[in-house]
Amino acid sequence: EVQLVESGGGLVQAGGSLRLSCAYSGIPFDDYAIGWFRQAPGKEREGVGCISRGSSKTYYASSLKGRFTITSDNAKNTVYLQMNSLKPEDTAVYYCAADAHCLVPYYDYWGQGTQVTVSS
């Protein structure tokens, strides 16, 4: 059974940082890319970034590049999303998802999401 579990969300002041974790099981990391997405209230889900199979490449939404960083710890079966210089508009539910490739319209497996709230 494939499982992805996000954690690390919470309330932070503008300008602060958070690190989200995505613990995955049931999938070999070398065969799957892990993407991060977010959905704010009343808005469509948007891609944040992705780390490709085997951690060979990372991709980011252009508007977030420089503030957000995706890394992986294969020994812990965990992918991280480091978020710095947070803004109130970063408030959303953040999801991780797995698929064979980063740049695809749909991902096969999804976590349940973790709430990030940035106060002004």
Side-chain angles (χ1 to χ4, degrees):
E1 180 186 4
V2 177
Q3 282 193 323
L4 297 101
V5 180
E6 303 93 337
S7 61
L11 175 64
V12 63
Q13 287 189 331
S17 298
L18 276 177
R19 189 179 76 161
L20 305 184
S21 299
C22 173
Y24 58 89
S25 60
I27 54 173
F29 183 71
D30 284 348
D31 292 342
Y32 280 85
I34 302 292
W36 284 97
F37 299 82
R38 68 184 185 182
Q39 188 165 20
K43 294 188 177 182
E44 292 188 354
R45 186 174 61 204
E46 64 173 340
V48 171
C50 180
I51 187 164
S52 65
R53 292 181 290 180
S55 306
S56 59
K57 292 182 180 180
T58 50
Y59 302 89
Y60 300 95
S62 55
S63 61
L64 302 175
K65 198 170 183 178
R67 294 196 297 125
F68 288 16
T69 304
I70 299 173
T71 58
S72 66
D73 185 336
N74 293 356
K76 295 183 178 180
N77 284 6
T78 301
V79 171
Y80 302 99
L81 176 64
Q82 178 69 42
M83 306 185 293
N84 298 328
S85 302
L86 283 163
K87 305 174 182 179
E89 52 263 43
D90 293 319
T91 295
V93 178
Y94 284 72
Y95 300 89
C96 64
D99 199 89
H101 303 283
C102 273
L103 303 178
V104 294
Y106 302 103
Y107 275 57
D108 288 336
Y109 305 105
W110 289 83
Q112 83 289 349
T114 186
Q115 176 70 47
V116 171
T117 303
V118 184
S119 63
S120 57

